[in-house]
């Protein structure tokens, strides 16, 4: 946050002439127009539409209906279900993905050159897009002919339905998402580990600290800023989950993988009930904004300049 | 020494198990694209599942078929066009704004900067629908502009450029002013060339963001001739008859540019990710 503050409280400029203003706004014009059109205005529009019964095909029939959308939303079973689903996803993916990333980083840190092969391998899922991994895992997890069930059968485990089972589908999506993202965070953890001065470890060793103690008393505390940043960004990214359920399960089976963002997309775009979808946007977007603000409060100052 | 050796062996065993866990889908994707359809299902339980066809002549059969069934060249060309336009546009648009915030003085500077930081908080995924309405009202639905334009300005990248430009010494700019350079010349001839790491970071992240963009192009494009690869692959995956080796071929094709980008620009990606903390996917 420091850098932001510096920009805000920069020295007072006594006199800015018209020409200076014009030049500056010429530089700003492209980004202001684009951000205004595709970010600021749509956000404001969502606020307004949330109070109307706007229907995508018949905007001329739109009427102002006050808070009715919100009332309906609170008693909407699918919205409730999608919120439960996303909380489940968030609570599971945080420890699984961040824990895996930290484990991988500790494993490859300070090892010999051969570990670069390991690093590349752990990172490899990151180079696939979400659409690609979603389709790929659809085939790998196919209940009748998929590779995973073939492998499981070698261990005497019967074929699992995976994505077609309402009790399993969300867990499968959690694991796939964690598998995809862990390598990325491993690299950030590695950068954090490399920033810990080796002199601290030496001092700890002289004091007689074993490997375990070094980890708890040196590594973890020194990694705190990195971990905090990774945890909060994972949290916020997790709330935006849409592509994996959209491609792999279409929100099913029995809405067990329906997420709020996907529900908004469906209601607004497929069902064209823009007013109702906007109310969801305001509610859920507001929720994400609260988390984002909290994130900035906690870790904003730790971004490397 | 002996226990040290045991640790190393254990370390490698654990590492290799993890490598298998992380890399087998990618390997399976690639080798399955190098097999005839029937062979993909044939040996799922054995190691043959992870080896391409025994006959080299059969390796590219799936690629030939998928290219003849669908206009793959078109999709690749579209993706490349979108990604390069976004990359170049994003570097220029964001750095222009970053320069204004970092160097110039103007009215409402603090307000605008605060507003821009505030925009960072808006979760783009939730406003997809109203963004679509704006695009519709602008009359650019189903044109490349609808795909490219929204990705060209990003508050985060403006912020990155602002921070970077502020770190560049003012003396160089002042001497340029004495030499009679105007603001644009200073931006173009001094600031931008001195900011290669920022340019590379923003460029790489923008390229990946555009290449992987899926939902937005799916929403704004109706003419299949304009589809980028990401949208085309789900389309191909849903067009009967679906051949698994052909699907794997198209998945592999759409991954290759990303592998290249990561190989060549990884340094900047870690910088960018470290600075922003967000994994743009």
């Amino acid at each position: 946050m420091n850098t932001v503050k510096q920009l805000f409280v920069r020295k007072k400029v006594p006199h800015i002439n018209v020409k200076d203003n014009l030049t500056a706004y010429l530089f700003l014009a492209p980004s202001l127009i684009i951000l205004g059109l595709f970010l600021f205005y749509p956000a404001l529009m969502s606020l307004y539409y949330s109070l109307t019964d706007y229907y995508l095909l018949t905007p001329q029939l739109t009427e102002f209906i006050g808070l009715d959308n919100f009332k309906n939303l609170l008693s909407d079973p699918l919205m409730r279900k999608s919120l439960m689903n996303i909380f489940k996803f968030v609570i599971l993916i945080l420890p699984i993905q961040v824990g895996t990333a930290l484990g991988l980083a500790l494993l490859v840190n300070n090892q010999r050159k051969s570990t670069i092969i390991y690093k590349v391998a752990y990172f490899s899922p990151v180079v696939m897009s979400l659409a690609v991994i979603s389709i790929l895992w659809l085939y790998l997890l196919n209940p009748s002919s998929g590779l995973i069930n073939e492998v499981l059968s070698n261990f005497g485990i019967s074929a699992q339905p995976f994505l077609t089972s309402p009790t399993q589908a969300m867990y499968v999506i959690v694991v796939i998402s964690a598998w995809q993202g862990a390598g990325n965070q491993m690299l950030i953890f590695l950068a954090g580990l490399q920033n810990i001065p080796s002199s601290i470890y030496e001092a700890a060793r002289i004091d007689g600290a074993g490997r375990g103690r070094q980890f708890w008393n040196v590594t973890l505390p020194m990694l705190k800023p990195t971990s905090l940043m990774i945890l909060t960004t994972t949290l916020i990214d997790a709330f935006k989950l849409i592509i994996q359920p959209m491609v792999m399960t279409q929100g099913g089976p029995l809405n067990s993988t329906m997420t709020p963002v996907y529900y908004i997309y469906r209601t607004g775009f497929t069902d064209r009930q823009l007013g109702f979808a906007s109310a969801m946007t305001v509610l859920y977007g507001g929720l994400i904004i609260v988390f984002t603000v909290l994130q900035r409060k906690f870790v904003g100052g730790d971004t490397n300049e | 020494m002996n226990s040290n050796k045991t640790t190393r062996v254990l370390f490698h065993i654990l590492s290799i198990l993890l490598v298998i866990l992380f890399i087998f889908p990618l390997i399976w994707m690639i080798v399955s694209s190098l097999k005839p359809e029937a062979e993909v299902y044939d040996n799922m339980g054995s190691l043959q599942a992870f080896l391409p066809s025994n006959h080299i002549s059969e390796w590219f059969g799936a690629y030939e078929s998928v290219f003849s069934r669908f206009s793959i060249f078109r999709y690749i060309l579209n993706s490349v066009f979108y990604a390069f336009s976004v990359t170049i546009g994003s570097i220029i648009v964001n750095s222009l704004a970053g320069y204004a915030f970092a160097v110039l003085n103007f009215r409402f500077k603090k307000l605008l900067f605060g507003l821009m930081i505030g925009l960072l908080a808006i979760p783009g995924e939730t406003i997809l629908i109203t963004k679509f309405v704006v695009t519709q009202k602008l009359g650019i639905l189903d044109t490349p502009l609808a795909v490219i334009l929204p990705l060209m300005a990003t508050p985060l990248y403006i912020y990155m450029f602002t921070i970077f430009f502020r770190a560049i010494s003012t003396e160089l700019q002042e001497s340029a002013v004495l030499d009679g350079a105007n603001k644009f010349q200073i931006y173009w001839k001094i600031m931008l060339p001195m900011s290669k790491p920022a340019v590379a970071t923003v460029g790489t992240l923008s390229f990946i963001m555009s290449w992987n963009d899926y939902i937005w192009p799916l929403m704004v494009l109706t003419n299949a001739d304009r589809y980028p690869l990401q949208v085309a692959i789900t389309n191909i995956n849903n067009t009967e008859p679906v051949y698994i080796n052909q699907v794997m071929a198209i998945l592999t094709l759409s991954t290759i540019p990303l592998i290249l980008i990561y190989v060549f620009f990884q340094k900047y990606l870690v910088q960018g990710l470290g600075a922003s903390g967000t994994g743009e996917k």
Side-chain angles (χ1 to χ4, degrees):
Chain A
M1 265 305 140
N2 275 339
T3 30
V4 180
K5 261 182 209 146
Q6 274 169 25
L7 283 160
F8 282 131
V9 296
R10 242 190 121 210
K11 56 188 184 267
K12 280 224 162 64
V13 183
H15 177 70
I16 304 169
N17 63 40
V18 180
K19 189 170 166 268
D20 282 351
N21 274 329
L22 195 71
T23 322
Y25 278 101
L26 275 176
F27 277 93
L28 285 168
S31 54
L32 288 186
I33 292 170
I34 294 171
L35 289 177
L37 278 175
F38 296 106
L39 201 55
F40 191 59
Y41 183 57
L44 284 181
M45 254 169 61
S46 296
L47 275 176
Y48 169 70
Y49 286 152
S50 71
L51 304 170
T52 69
D53 59 359
Y54 193 116
Y55 195 82
L56 207 52
L57 290 179
T58 52
Q60 69 278 9
L61 298 178
T62 304
E63 272 179 44
F64 190 82
I65 55 167
L67 295 174
D68 281 6
N69 283 328
F70 290 94
K71 271 184 218 151
N72 296 335
L73 196 57
L74 291 178
S75 56
D76 184 63
L78 203 47
M79 182 66 189
R80 245 185 252 172
K81 174 99 184 159
S82 71
L83 280 173
M84 291 308 289
N85 289 340
I86 199 71
F87 285 133
K88 189 170 166 187
F89 178 80
V90 168
I91 288 166
L92 287 169
I93 196 142
L94 276 179
I96 294 177
Q97 183 173 337
V98 179
T100 308
L102 179 59
L104 293 176
L106 290 169
L107 197 66
V108 294
N109 190 35
N110 290 332
Q111 297 290 344
R112 288 189 205 148
K113 274 208 162 157
S114 64
T115 53
I116 193 156
I117 299 164
Y118 300 147
K119 259 192 256 181
V120 169
Y122 304 149
F123 188 78
S124 62
V126 180
V127 306
M128 288 184 267
S129 77
L130 286 174
V132 167
I133 66 148
S134 300
I135 295 175
L136 179 56
W137 278 98
L138 258 179
Y139 286 97
L140 287 168
L141 293 167
N142 187 300
S144 56
S145 60
L147 181 79
I148 303 290
N149 270 324
E150 285 288 341
V151 172
L152 287 181
S153 75
N154 287 346
F155 293 97
I157 299 170
S158 60
Q160 298 296 311
F162 295 120
L163 292 164
T164 50
S165 148
T167 49
Q168 290 183 6
M170 192 44 122
Y171 296 105
V172 172
I173 290 182
V174 169
V175 171
I176 293 172
S177 307
W179 164 84
Q180 208 246 354
N184 218 347
Q185 299 178 341
M186 171 193 72
L187 286 188
I188 303 173
F189 270 128
L190 272 174
L193 283 170
Q194 254 124 54
N195 281 337
I196 304 176
S198 55
S199 56
I200 302 186
Y201 285 108
E202 275 157 34
R205 233 172 288 145
I206 289 165
D207 289 345
R211 283 210 162 188
R213 271 199 82 90
Q214 282 180 33
F215 174 72
W216 285 107
N217 293 346
V218 180
T219 312
L220 270 191
M222 293 295 281
L223 271 186
K224 207 179 151 195
T226 313
S227 317
L228 223 53
M229 180 191 82
I230 289 180
L231 275 171
T232 44
T233 48
T234 311
L235 180 89
I236 285 158
D237 278 350
F239 274 112
K240 300 172 184 168
L241 177 71
I242 171 167
I243 295 182
Q244 296 93 313
M246 190 171 171
V247 176
M248 288 198 280
T249 59
Q250 290 84 51
L254 297 177
N255 296 317
S256 61
T257 58
M258 179 60 82
T259 69
V261 175
Y262 189 28
Y263 189 36
I264 292 171
Y265 171 86
R266 255 207 203 168
T267 314
F269 194 65
T270 315
D271 302 342
R272 296 165 193 266
Q273 295 175 305
L274 204 91
F276 192 56
S278 295
M280 282 192 273
T281 301
V282 171
L283 194 81
Y284 192 63
L287 188 78
I288 299 180
I289 288 174
V290 168
F291 278 110
T292 310
V293 170
L294 286 178
Q295 175 223 1
R296 266 170 229 297
K297 255 206 146 85
F298 284 122
V299 289
D302 290 320
T303 51
N304 359 324
E305 171 64 337
Chain B
M1 272 299 105
N2 208 1
S3 78
N4 212 342
K5 209 172 178 183
T6 324
T7 341
R8 284 214 70 78
V9 171
L10 279 175
F11 161 75
H12 283 292
I13 290 175
L14 178 64
S15 299
I16 288 164
L17 283 176
L18 283 167
V19 165
I20 294 170
L21 201 65
F22 273 86
I23 210 168
F24 83 87
L26 183 70
I27 305 283
W28 186 77
M29 174 180 90
I30 297 169
V31 298
S32 297
S33 76
L34 299 173
K35 279 178 190 173
E37 168 87 354
E39 279 184 38
V40 177
Y41 301 107
D42 250 6
N43 305 294
M44 283 275 201
S46 71
L47 197 67
Q48 184 62 40
F50 292 101
L51 295 171
S53 169
N54 294 329
H55 311 282
I56 296 180
S57 58
E58 285 174 342
W59 279 13
F60 298 103
Y63 289 88
E64 277 164 31
S65 323
V66 85
F67 270 89
S68 68
R69 277 180 71 204
F70 302 95
S71 3
I72 307 291
F73 274 122
R74 174 102 240 165
Y75 301 137
I76 295 175
L77 217 65
N78 287 344
S79 272
V80 168
F81 173 71
Y82 296 148
F84 274 107
S85 311
V86 168
T87 306
I88 292 161
S90 163
I91 289 170
I92 291 173
V93 168
N94 293 313
S95 68
L96 280 170
Y99 177 78
F101 282 125
V103 177
L104 304 179
N105 289 311
F106 53 92
R107 282 193 73 168
F108 306 122
K109 178 170 168 171
K110 285 183 211 167
L111 180 81
L112 274 179
F113 195 76
L115 199 67
M116 199 200 61
I117 295 290
L119 287 180
L120 265 172
I122 297 175
E125 285 80 355
T126 57
I127 57 163
L128 279 170
I129 317 293
T130 33
K131 223 167 97 179
F132 175 83
V133 175
V134 171
T135 314
Q136 192 182 35
K137 280 183 181 165
L138 288 174
I140 55 170
L141 274 187
D142 210 21
T143 70
L145 216 52
V147 181
I148 296 165
L149 207 56
L151 290 178
M152 278 197 187
T154 312
L156 183 68
Y157 301 160
I158 296 177
Y159 181 71
M160 279 164 76
F161 272 116
T162 309
I163 300 298
F164 209 92
F165 287 152
R166 280 188 66 83
I168 294 175
S169 86
T170 46
E171 280 141 40
L172 208 65
Q173 298 167 47
E174 276 156 14
S175 65
V177 172
L178 288 178
D179 288 344
N182 64 30
K183 298 274 192 267
F184 185 78
Q185 285 166 328
I186 293 173
Y187 155 80
W188 188 249
K189 294 214 170 115
I190 297 175
M191 303 301 262
L192 214 50
M194 284 186 74
S195 317
K196 280 190 189 119
V199 170
T201 307
V202 169
T204 318
L205 290 174
S206 301
F207 186 93
I208 294 172
M209 185 169 65
S210 166
W211 188 271
N212 287 345
D213 202 7
Y214 171 69
I215 297 174
W216 183 247
L218 182 73
M219 286 173 79
V220 294
L221 297 177
T222 44
N223 185 346
D225 280 349
R226 298 207 172 88
Y227 281 172
L229 259 181
Q230 301 293 328
V231 177
I233 54 178
T234 51
N235 211 26
I236 289 167
N237 189 42
N238 294 325
T239 307
E240 298 289 338
V242 179
Y243 299 108
I244 189 168
N245 58 343
Q246 293 180 16
V247 173
M248 293 307 140
I250 193 72
L251 294 186
T252 305
L253 278 176
S254 84
T255 305
I256 288 170
L258 293 170
I259 293 177
L260 295 177
I261 282 276
Y262 277 104
V263 167
F264 289 113
F265 293 98
Q266 207 224 36
K267 183 171 84 175
Y268 300 109
L269 277 165
V270 178
Q271 272 176 7
L273 293 168
S276 67
T278 49
E280 296 288 346
K281 283 159 205 157

